[in-house]
Amino acid sequence: LVANFREEDKDALGKFMEVMERVKRHVAMVFHRYISGKGLKIWFQDKQVEPWDPFLSSHSSTQRMPEEAIGRSVVRVKGYVLPHKAKLDETEFRDAGGLKGWNAHQGFYIYRKERLLVAGDWFGMFKKEEHHKLARIQLDLPNDLDTDWQIDIKKSVARPPLKVRDQLKQYASRVRLQAVEVYRHKGKVLQRKIGFSEFQPLWNERSRGSKRSYEINLAHPLISEVLEMPHPTAADIRRILRFVEET
């Protein structure tokens, strides 16, 4: 990179530092789960690399969709709907844009043994559109499906096999639907439909050891409203069933 430049060449130094910054951010993205969850420490110019979490999983306004098994149940997907810009400060919004920006980073994030291979791709199932930019989906692969998922020797490319594409598309459609709601309602999820401003998930996730289960959140305003009716109508029941189907 610098073999043909003089040490005092400020322009060359600036370009070199730009490349270094991109490399550092790439490392922070690819190995973020090792850094944050496994205690891995990576040093860059005597400074420790901080992980870049594409899902903003620690943010209180991030919405987490139920995890599902794909195919033979060894592949797992978990959707995230990131907060609307109104819920983020300037630094959070800029950092969440990652290396390529908000629109480019929507889609599936494929991990092989928790190492990131693909950072945001709909694999031809959908186009990347502005109103879906809050949708990001974590997809975990074991290390024995490299051939099925066309993972190359550099571990930088992966493509879902045909036999699971329909299931992935159905799951992604639900995440994208929720992302559109947040985008259009400026972070006030379903406020215009059912009149509440703080997000309440329809499903509560329960963990017991390695087992997970899900139950309907009876405190959800749409559910509690119908439960308190002395004589709910067929239309009220259909409204709940439609909401359950959508989520």
Side-chain angles (χ1 to χ4, degrees):
L1 288 175
V2 297
N4 299 320
F5 293 105
R6 298 186 308 276
E7 187 174 349
E8 64 272 16
D9 190 333
K10 300 296 185 184
D11 289 339
L13 177 61
K15 292 176 182 177
F16 178 69
M17 295 305 292
E18 286 179 13
V19 173
M20 290 188 69
E21 181 64 22
R22 288 202 303 270
V23 171
K24 182 176 73 172
R25 295 176 70 184
H26 178 76
V27 169
M29 176 178 69
V30 171
F31 299 104
H32 76 94
R33 291 172 70 180
Y34 282 89
I35 297 171
S36 60
K38 296 182 179 295
L40 175 69
K41 295 181 179 180
I42 301 176
W43 300 86
F44 205 90
Q45 281 195 306
D46 298 326
K47 293 183 179 179
Q48 195 168 331
V49 174
E50 296 295 326
W52 181 74
D53 176 10
F55 311 112
L56 291 183
S57 53
S58 62
H59 198 284
S60 60
S61 295
T62 296
Q63 299 179 29
R64 298 154 187 80
M65 308 294 280
E67 183 181 276
E68 287 189 12
I70 300 294
R72 297 180 299 164
S73 300
V74 295
V75 177
R76 314 289 298 187
V77 289
K78 185 174 182 64
Y80 294 83
V81 177
L82 273 61
H84 188 274
K85 184 179 180 179
K87 299 283 188 178
L88 303 172
D89 62 35
E90 185 176 339
T91 300
E92 289 173 330
F93 181 77
R94 184 180 65 251
D95 289 347
L99 285 166
K100 300 180 291 184
W102 277 83
N103 273 6
H105 274 298
Q106 64 183 273
F108 289 102
Y109 284 69
I110 297 184
Y111 295 83
R112 179 184 183 272
K113 299 293 288 184
E114 300 189 9
R115 178 202 187 279
L116 184 62
L117 305 182
V118 175
D121 199 324
W122 292 121
F123 302 112
M125 301 175 193
F126 312 99
K127 292 181 180 179
K128 290 189 174 182
E129 300 166 313
E130 169 74 14
H131 51 285
H132 290 119
K133 68 181 182 181
L134 304 181
R136 298 180 183 179
I137 303 173
Q138 177 180 313
L139 194 154
D140 280 301
L141 299 176
N143 59 2
D144 58 354
L145 293 179
D146 290 7
T147 301
D148 289 351
W149 285 74
Q150 302 179 49
I151 297 175
D152 68 343
I153 191 67
K154 295 186 295 182
K155 305 295 185 290
S156 61
V157 175
R159 298 182 182 88
L162 289 174
K163 59 187 176 184
V164 300
R165 286 179 69 89
D166 285 346
Q167 193 175 354
L168 289 175
K169 187 174 182 178
Q170 289 174 9
Y171 186 89
S173 295
R174 298 196 296 271
V175 179
R176 283 161 57 89
L177 178 66
Q178 189 71 2
V180 169
E181 291 287 350
V182 176
Y183 179 83
R184 289 178 176 169
H185 295 280
K186 297 183 178 180
K188 297 180 180 179
V189 182
L190 302 180
Q191 183 177 5
R192 295 178 192 173
K193 289 185 178 179
I194 51 181
F196 65 98
S197 58
E198 294 300 320
F199 172 70
Q200 281 269 12
L202 179 63
W203 298 93
N204 287 330
E205 183 179 18
R206 297 282 180 259
S207 297
R208 194 173 207 177
S210 61
K211 295 182 178 179
R212 288 180 181 160
S213 61
Y214 300 90
E215 60 185 30
I216 290 179
N217 176 17
L218 300 183
H220 190 285
L222 185 62
I223 304 297
S224 61
E225 176 191 355
V226 175
L227 289 177
E228 292 170 3
M229 292 179 180
H231 304 290
T233 66
D236 296 321
I237 302 299
R238 278 197 297 270
R239 187 158 50 109
I240 287 182
L241 293 177
R242 184 168 60 251
F243 194 38
V244 168
E245 288 174 342
E246 290 176 353
T247 56

